[in-house]
Amino acid sequence: MLLMLDIDALLLHKRLLMVGGKGGVGKTTSASALAVRAASLGRDVLLISTDPAHSLADAFERPIGGEAVQLAANLSALELDPEQEVDAYLDRVSAQMRRFAGPDQVHALEKQLRLNRQAPGAQEAALLERLAHLMEDGLLRHDLLIFDTAPTGHTLRLLSLPEVMAAWTDGLLRHNDRARKLGQVLNHLTPGKDLDSPLQDPGEHAGADLDPRSRELADTLLKRQRLFHRTRRLLCDSERSAFLFVLTAEKLPILETRRAVDALRENHIPVAGALVNRLLPDAADGDFLAKRRRQQDKYLAEIEQVLGKLPRRPVPLQEEDVQGLAALERFGEIIGGGKRV
Protein backbone atom coordinates (compact mmCIF):
# COMPACT_ATOMS: atom_id res chain seq x y z
CA MET A 1 0.00 0.00 0.00
CA LEU A 2 1.45 3.35 -1.08
CA LEU A 3 2.35 5.73 1.75
CA MET A 4 1.92 9.11 0.08
CA LEU A 5 4.74 11.58 0.69
CA ASP A 6 3.62 15.12 1.58
CA ILE A 7 6.10 17.18 -0.43
CA ASP A 8 4.79 20.59 0.63
CA ALA A 9 5.04 19.69 4.32
CA LEU A 10 8.63 18.63 3.73
CA LEU A 11 9.46 21.90 1.98
CA LEU A 12 7.72 24.01 4.60
CA HIS A 13 9.18 22.44 7.73
CA LYS A 14 12.74 21.29 6.95
CA ARG A 15 15.86 23.42 6.83
CA LEU A 16 18.08 21.04 4.83
CA LEU A 17 16.95 18.71 2.04
CA MET A 18 19.42 16.40 0.30
CA VAL A 19 18.12 15.14 -3.06
CA GLY A 20 19.86 12.06 -4.44
CA GLY A 21 19.43 9.30 -6.92
CA LYS A 22 21.11 7.29 -9.63
CA GLY A 23 22.28 9.26 -12.64
CA GLY A 24 19.66 9.77 -15.32
CA VAL A 25 16.54 9.46 -13.14
CA GLY A 26 15.75 13.19 -13.18
CA LYS A 27 17.41 14.10 -9.88
CA THR A 28 18.61 17.57 -10.87
CA THR A 29 15.30 18.46 -12.55
CA SER A 30 13.40 17.28 -9.47
CA ALA A 31 15.69 19.19 -7.08
CA SER A 32 15.26 22.32 -9.19
CA ALA A 33 11.47 21.96 -9.29
CA LEU A 34 11.39 21.40 -5.53
CA ALA A 35 13.40 24.58 -4.99
CA VAL A 36 11.03 26.57 -7.21
CA ARG A 37 8.06 25.05 -5.39
CA ALA A 38 9.49 25.91 -1.95
CA ALA A 39 10.16 29.49 -3.06
CA SER A 40 6.55 29.81 -4.26
CA LEU A 41 5.43 28.70 -0.79
CA GLY A 42 7.27 31.67 0.69
CA ARG A 43 10.51 30.07 1.84
CA ASP A 44 13.86 31.66 1.06
CA VAL A 45 15.73 28.88 -0.75
CA LEU A 46 19.34 28.23 -1.71
CA LEU A 47 19.76 25.43 -4.26
CA ILE A 48 23.24 23.89 -4.45
CA SER A 49 24.62 21.43 -6.98
CA THR A 50 27.89 19.52 -6.91
CA ASP A 51 27.37 18.05 -10.39
CA PRO A 52 30.47 18.78 -12.53
CA ALA A 53 28.28 18.54 -15.66
CA HIS A 54 26.59 21.83 -14.65
CA SER A 55 23.12 20.30 -15.03
CA LEU A 56 21.60 22.96 -12.80
CA ALA A 57 22.42 25.64 -15.36
CA ASP A 58 20.82 23.44 -18.03
CA ALA A 59 17.66 23.02 -15.98
CA PHE A 60 17.20 26.78 -15.51
CA GLU A 61 18.59 27.64 -18.96
CA ARG A 62 20.93 30.27 -17.61
CA PRO A 63 24.52 30.44 -16.34
CA ILE A 64 25.02 29.48 -12.70
CA GLY A 65 28.47 29.55 -11.11
CA GLY A 66 30.23 29.03 -7.82
CA GLU A 67 28.67 32.11 -6.21
CA ALA A 68 24.95 32.29 -5.45
CA VAL A 69 22.85 33.97 -8.16
CA GLN A 70 19.23 35.08 -7.84
CA LEU A 71 16.96 33.01 -10.10
CA ALA A 72 13.54 34.17 -8.89
CA ALA A 73 11.86 35.67 -5.85
CA ASN A 74 13.06 33.76 -2.76
CA LEU A 75 15.31 31.52 -4.88
CA SER A 76 19.09 31.55 -5.31
CA ALA A 77 21.38 28.85 -6.65
CA LEU A 78 25.03 28.00 -7.03
CA GLU A 79 26.90 25.24 -8.83
CA LEU A 80 30.22 24.01 -7.44
CA ASP A 81 33.06 23.28 -9.83
CA PRO A 82 35.23 20.44 -8.43
CA GLU A 83 38.36 21.68 -10.20
CA GLN A 84 38.02 25.18 -8.77
CA GLU A 85 37.15 23.83 -5.34
CA VAL A 86 40.24 21.64 -5.12
CA ASP A 87 42.48 24.57 -6.17
CA ALA A 88 40.94 26.82 -3.52
CA TYR A 89 41.14 24.05 -0.94
CA LEU A 90 44.84 23.36 -1.54
CA ASP A 91 45.59 27.09 -1.50
CA ARG A 92 43.98 27.32 1.94
CA VAL A 93 45.90 24.29 3.19
CA SER A 94 49.15 25.69 1.83
CA ALA A 95 48.59 29.06 3.49
CA GLN A 96 47.80 27.40 6.83
CA MET A 97 50.67 24.92 6.79
CA ARG A 98 53.29 27.47 5.70
CA ARG A 99 52.88 29.11 9.09
CA PHE A 100 53.82 25.87 10.83
CA ALA A 101 56.51 24.58 8.45
CA GLY A 102 60.16 25.49 8.79
CA PRO A 103 62.06 27.12 5.90
CA ASP A 104 63.51 23.75 4.91
CA GLN A 105 60.04 22.18 4.81
CA VAL A 106 58.24 24.65 2.54
CA HIS A 107 59.53 23.13 -0.71
CA ALA A 108 58.57 19.61 0.38
CA LEU A 109 55.14 20.89 1.45
CA GLU A 110 54.47 22.51 -1.92
CA LYS A 111 55.60 19.36 -3.74
CA GLN A 112 53.28 17.22 -1.61
CA LEU A 113 50.32 19.54 -2.29
CA ARG A 114 50.98 19.41 -6.04
CA LEU A 115 50.91 15.61 -5.85
CA ASN A 116 47.73 15.73 -3.79
CA ARG A 117 46.11 17.81 -6.53
CA GLN A 118 45.86 14.66 -8.65
CA ALA A 119 45.35 12.20 -5.82
CA PRO A 120 42.18 10.08 -5.67
CA GLY A 121 39.64 11.79 -3.46
CA ALA A 122 41.22 15.26 -3.64
CA GLN A 123 38.19 16.77 -5.36
CA GLU A 124 35.83 15.06 -2.97
CA ALA A 125 37.76 16.26 0.09
CA ALA A 126 37.59 19.83 -1.22
CA LEU A 127 33.89 19.56 -1.99
CA LEU A 128 33.07 18.06 1.39
CA GLU A 129 34.69 20.86 3.32
CA ARG A 130 32.97 23.44 1.11
CA LEU A 131 29.63 21.67 1.63
CA ALA A 132 30.11 21.75 5.39
CA HIS A 133 30.71 25.51 5.26
CA LEU A 134 27.79 26.03 2.88
CA MET A 135 25.44 24.21 5.23
CA GLU A 136 26.51 26.26 8.21
CA ASP A 137 26.63 29.64 6.49
CA GLY A 138 23.59 29.00 4.30
CA LEU A 139 21.31 28.26 7.24
CA LEU A 140 22.09 31.71 8.62
CA ARG A 141 20.88 33.39 5.41
CA HIS A 142 18.15 31.11 4.06
CA ASP A 143 15.12 29.21 5.28
CA LEU A 144 15.85 26.08 3.27
CA LEU A 145 18.93 24.57 1.62
CA ILE A 146 18.37 22.01 -1.13
CA PHE A 147 21.38 19.98 -2.27
CA ASP A 148 21.43 18.19 -5.61
CA THR A 149 24.01 15.56 -4.73
CA ALA A 150 24.97 11.89 -4.83
CA PRO A 151 22.90 9.67 -2.52
CA THR A 152 25.39 7.98 -0.24
CA GLY A 153 28.86 9.13 -1.27
CA HIS A 154 28.95 12.75 -0.13
CA THR A 155 26.59 12.31 2.78
CA LEU A 156 28.29 9.30 4.34
CA ARG A 157 31.71 10.86 3.87
CA LEU A 158 30.50 14.00 5.59
CA LEU A 159 29.54 11.78 8.51
CA SER A 160 33.02 10.24 8.58
CA LEU A 161 34.89 13.56 8.49
CA PRO A 162 35.32 13.82 12.29
CA GLU A 163 37.06 10.42 12.28
CA VAL A 164 39.16 11.39 9.26
CA MET A 165 40.10 14.65 10.93
CA ALA A 166 41.15 12.88 14.12
CA ALA A 167 43.31 10.41 12.16
CA TRP A 168 44.89 13.21 10.12
CA THR A 169 45.65 15.17 13.27
CA ASP A 170 47.25 12.15 14.89
CA GLY A 171 49.38 11.49 11.80
CA LEU A 172 50.53 15.09 11.69
CA LEU A 173 51.56 15.08 15.32
CA ARG A 174 53.51 11.84 15.04
CA HIS A 175 56.00 13.66 12.80
CA ASN A 176 56.70 16.37 15.34
CA ASP A 177 58.48 15.33 18.54
CA ARG A 178 58.09 18.80 19.94
CA ALA A 179 54.30 18.56 19.72
CA ARG A 180 53.75 16.01 22.47
CA LYS A 181 51.90 18.53 24.61
CA LEU A 182 49.82 19.50 21.60
CA GLY A 183 49.10 15.83 20.99
CA GLN A 184 47.80 15.49 24.51
CA VAL A 185 45.53 18.45 23.89
CA LEU A 186 44.08 17.09 20.65
CA ASN A 187 44.05 13.33 21.14
CA HIS A 188 40.57 13.48 22.66
CA LEU A 189 39.05 14.74 19.40
CA THR A 190 37.79 11.26 18.61
CA PRO A 191 34.10 11.68 17.73
CA GLY A 192 31.67 10.83 20.48
CA LYS A 193 33.42 12.53 23.36
CA ASP A 194 31.95 15.92 22.56
CA LEU A 195 29.55 15.03 19.75
CA ASP A 196 26.73 14.03 22.07
CA SER A 197 27.53 16.63 24.73
CA PRO A 198 27.03 20.01 23.05
CA LEU A 199 27.46 21.84 26.36
CA GLN A 200 30.84 20.26 26.99
CA ASP A 201 33.69 21.44 24.80
CA PRO A 202 36.82 19.30 25.41
CA GLY A 203 38.97 21.81 23.54
CA GLU A 204 38.02 24.73 25.76
CA HIS A 205 41.09 26.15 27.51
CA ALA A 206 43.05 23.09 26.33
CA GLY A 207 45.69 25.15 24.56
CA ALA A 208 46.34 27.53 27.43
CA ASP A 209 49.80 26.08 28.18
CA LEU A 210 50.96 25.88 24.55
CA ASP A 211 53.41 28.18 22.87
CA PRO A 212 51.78 30.61 20.38
CA ARG A 213 52.77 28.56 17.30
CA SER A 214 51.34 25.34 18.70
CA ARG A 215 48.25 27.11 20.00
CA GLU A 216 47.53 28.47 16.50
CA LEU A 217 47.78 24.97 15.04
CA ALA A 218 45.56 23.60 17.82
CA ASP A 219 42.95 26.30 17.18
CA THR A 220 42.98 25.57 13.43
CA LEU A 221 42.47 21.85 13.93
CA LEU A 222 39.85 22.30 16.63
CA LYS A 223 37.89 24.75 14.51
CA ARG A 224 37.76 22.34 11.58
CA GLN A 225 36.92 19.42 13.83
CA ARG A 226 34.02 21.29 15.41
CA LEU A 227 32.72 22.24 11.98
CA PHE A 228 32.54 18.58 10.95
CA HIS A 229 30.88 17.63 14.23
CA ARG A 230 28.22 20.30 13.71
CA THR A 231 27.69 19.05 10.17
CA ARG A 232 27.17 15.53 11.45
CA ARG A 233 24.61 16.73 13.99
CA LEU A 234 22.74 18.65 11.30
CA LEU A 235 22.60 15.71 8.89
CA CYS A 236 21.29 13.42 11.62
CA ASP A 237 18.73 15.88 12.97
CA SER A 238 15.32 14.66 11.76
CA GLU A 239 13.68 17.91 12.85
CA ARG A 240 15.80 19.99 10.46
CA SER A 241 17.16 17.63 7.81
CA ALA A 242 15.96 14.90 5.47
CA PHE A 243 17.11 12.91 2.47
CA LEU A 244 14.82 12.56 -0.53
CA PHE A 245 15.44 9.98 -3.24
CA VAL A 246 14.50 10.18 -6.89
CA LEU A 247 14.17 6.93 -8.82
CA THR A 248 12.42 5.46 -11.83
CA ALA A 249 10.51 2.19 -12.08
CA GLU A 250 13.54 0.30 -13.41
CA LYS A 251 15.78 -2.40 -11.99
CA LEU A 252 19.05 -0.55 -11.38
CA PRO A 253 17.57 2.60 -9.78
CA ILE A 254 15.51 0.40 -7.45
CA LEU A 255 18.56 -1.59 -6.35
CA GLU A 256 20.70 1.49 -5.83
CA THR A 257 17.96 3.27 -3.89
CA ARG A 258 17.47 0.30 -1.59
CA ARG A 259 21.19 0.12 -0.81
CA ALA A 260 21.37 3.87 -0.26
CA VAL A 261 18.35 3.94 2.05
CA ASP A 262 19.84 1.12 4.14
CA ALA A 263 23.22 2.86 4.33
CA LEU A 264 21.74 6.20 5.36
CA ARG A 265 19.54 4.64 8.01
CA GLU A 266 22.49 2.72 9.44
CA ASN A 267 24.20 6.08 9.85
CA HIS A 268 21.10 7.64 11.44
CA ILE A 269 20.37 10.02 8.57
CA PRO A 270 16.62 10.65 8.25
CA VAL A 271 15.13 9.55 4.93
CA ALA A 272 11.90 11.40 4.14
CA GLY A 273 10.82 9.36 1.13
CA ALA A 274 11.15 9.02 -2.62
CA LEU A 275 9.84 10.46 -5.87
CA VAL A 276 9.03 7.67 -8.32
CA ASN A 277 9.64 9.60 -11.53
CA ARG A 278 8.62 9.25 -15.18
CA LEU A 279 5.63 6.98 -14.72
CA LEU A 280 3.58 6.40 -17.86
CA PRO A 281 0.26 8.25 -17.71
CA ASP A 282 -2.93 6.16 -17.80
CA ALA A 283 -3.99 7.87 -21.02
CA ALA A 284 -1.00 6.60 -22.99
CA ASP A 285 -2.03 3.86 -25.39
CA GLY A 286 -0.68 1.59 -28.12
CA ASP A 287 0.91 -1.87 -28.00
CA PHE A 288 4.38 -0.54 -27.28
CA LEU A 289 3.25 1.57 -24.35
CA ALA A 290 1.04 -1.27 -23.10
CA LYS A 291 4.13 -3.49 -22.84
CA ARG A 292 6.06 -0.72 -21.13
CA ARG A 293 3.23 -0.27 -18.66
CA ARG A 294 3.21 -3.97 -17.81
CA GLN A 295 6.95 -3.79 -17.14
CA GLN A 296 6.43 -0.62 -15.13
CA ASP A 297 3.74 -2.30 -13.03
CA LYS A 298 6.16 -5.15 -12.28
CA TYR A 299 8.79 -2.71 -11.04
CA LEU A 300 6.25 -0.70 -9.07
CA ALA A 301 5.37 -3.91 -7.26
CA GLU A 302 9.08 -4.42 -6.57
CA ILE A 303 9.35 -0.86 -5.25
CA GLU A 304 6.41 -1.60 -2.96
CA GLN A 305 8.17 -4.69 -1.69
CA VAL A 306 11.57 -3.05 -1.27
CA LEU A 307 10.51 0.44 -0.11
CA GLY A 308 7.00 -0.30 1.14
CA LYS A 309 7.46 1.54 4.45
CA LEU A 310 9.04 4.58 2.81
CA PRO A 311 6.62 7.39 1.84
CA ARG A 312 6.59 7.96 -1.91
CA ARG A 313 5.03 10.21 -4.49
CA PRO A 314 4.40 9.03 -8.06
CA VAL A 315 5.45 11.55 -10.71
CA PRO A 316 4.16 11.13 -14.30
CA LEU A 317 6.35 11.24 -17.37
CA GLN A 318 6.18 14.71 -18.90
CA GLU A 319 5.40 15.29 -22.58
CA GLU A 320 8.40 17.58 -23.01
CA ASP A 321 11.76 18.22 -21.35
CA VAL A 322 11.43 20.26 -18.16
CA GLN A 323 13.69 23.26 -18.70
CA GLY A 324 13.36 26.89 -17.75
CA LEU A 325 11.77 28.57 -14.76
CA ALA A 326 8.17 28.33 -16.00
CA ALA A 327 8.46 24.62 -16.80
CA LEU A 328 10.10 23.94 -13.43
CA GLU A 329 7.30 25.80 -11.69
CA ARG A 330 4.68 23.62 -13.43
CA PHE A 331 6.65 20.48 -12.61
CA GLY A 332 6.95 21.60 -8.98
CA GLU A 333 3.16 21.92 -8.81
CA ILE A 334 2.82 18.37 -10.12
CA ILE A 335 5.27 17.04 -7.54
CA GLY A 336 3.67 19.04 -4.76
CA GLY A 337 0.16 17.95 -5.63
CA GLY A 338 -1.20 21.08 -7.26
CA LYS A 339 -1.45 24.78 -6.52
CA ARG A 340 -1.56 25.69 -2.86
CA VAL A 341 -4.15 28.24 -1.78
Side-chain angles (χ1 to χ4, degrees), residues 199-339:
L199 299 180
Q200 178 184 0
D201 185 352
E204 190 175 1
H205 308 306
D209 297 331
L210 299 176
D211 62 82
R213 186 166 175 252
S214 296
R215 188 181 302 118
E216 186 178 359
L217 177 56
D219 289 342
T220 298
L221 297 175
L222 285 166
K223 182 178 179 181
R224 187 171 296 171
Q225 183 78 337
R226 289 170 181 143
L227 169 67
F228 296 151
H229 281 188
R230 291 192 299 269
T231 302
R232 181 202 294 253
R233 292 191 190 99
L234 174 62
L235 289 170
C236 295
D237 185 351
S238 61
E239 292 294 319
R240 294 186 294 167
S241 304
F243 207 102
L244 178 66
F245 285 94
V246 182
L247 73 156
T248 53
E250 299 171 285
K251 188 71 174 179
L252 293 181
I254 294 171
L255 292 174
E256 182 164 321
T257 301
R258 181 183 65 182
R259 288 193 294 266
V261 168
D262 291 343
L264 293 178
R265 284 176 169 169
E266 287 174 5
N267 285 272
H268 311 293
I269 298 179
V271 179
L275 300 177
V276 186
N277 198 20
R278 296 176 183 161
L279 295 177
L280 293 173
D282 295 336
D285 56 11
D287 291 341
F288 176 81
L289 290 178
K291 291 180 181 178
R292 292 292 301 179
R293 188 178 290 106
R294 285 195 293 272
Q295 177 176 278
Q296 174 180 282
D297 290 342
K298 181 185 73 171
Y299 285 127
L300 286 174
E302 185 172 339
I303 290 173
E304 176 64 31
Q305 181 180 3
V306 171
L307 305 175
K309 296 182 180 180
L310 189 69
R312 305 180 301 283
R313 178 168 288 277
V315 181
L317 178 67
Q318 302 301 294
E319 294 181 354
E320 299 177 345
D321 291 341
V322 180
Q323 288 186 299
L325 188 59
L328 288 168
E329 184 175 3
R330 290 191 296 271
F331 192 47
E333 288 181 3
I334 292 171
I335 295 174
K339 289 189 176 181

Side-chain angles (χ1 to χ4, degrees), residues 99-138:
R99 299 199 300 270
F100 309 120
D104 58 331
Q105 297 174 309
V106 172
H107 178 72
L109 172 64
E110 294 296 336
K111 180 180 179 181
Q112 185 64 40
L113 289 176
R114 285 195 300 271
L115 292 174
N116 286 342
R117 176 68 175 75
Q118 304 300 328
Q123 286 188 355
E124 188 171 65
L127 283 173
L128 290 176
E129 184 163 335
R130 178 73 190 280
L131 287 176
H133 282 292
L134 280 172
M135 288 179 190
E136 188 148 278
D137 297 340

Side-chain angles (χ1 to χ4, degrees), residues 66-78:
E67 300 297 327
V69 295
Q70 188 89 19
L71 299 177
N74 298 328
L75 176 60
S76 301
L78 61 88

Side-chain angles (χ1 to χ4, degrees), residues 17-38:
L17 185 62
M18 307 285 284
V19 181
K22 184 175 173 58
V25 298
K27 174 175 56 70
T28 296
T29 301
S30 298
S32 301
L34 289 167
V36 174
R37 175 73 170 179

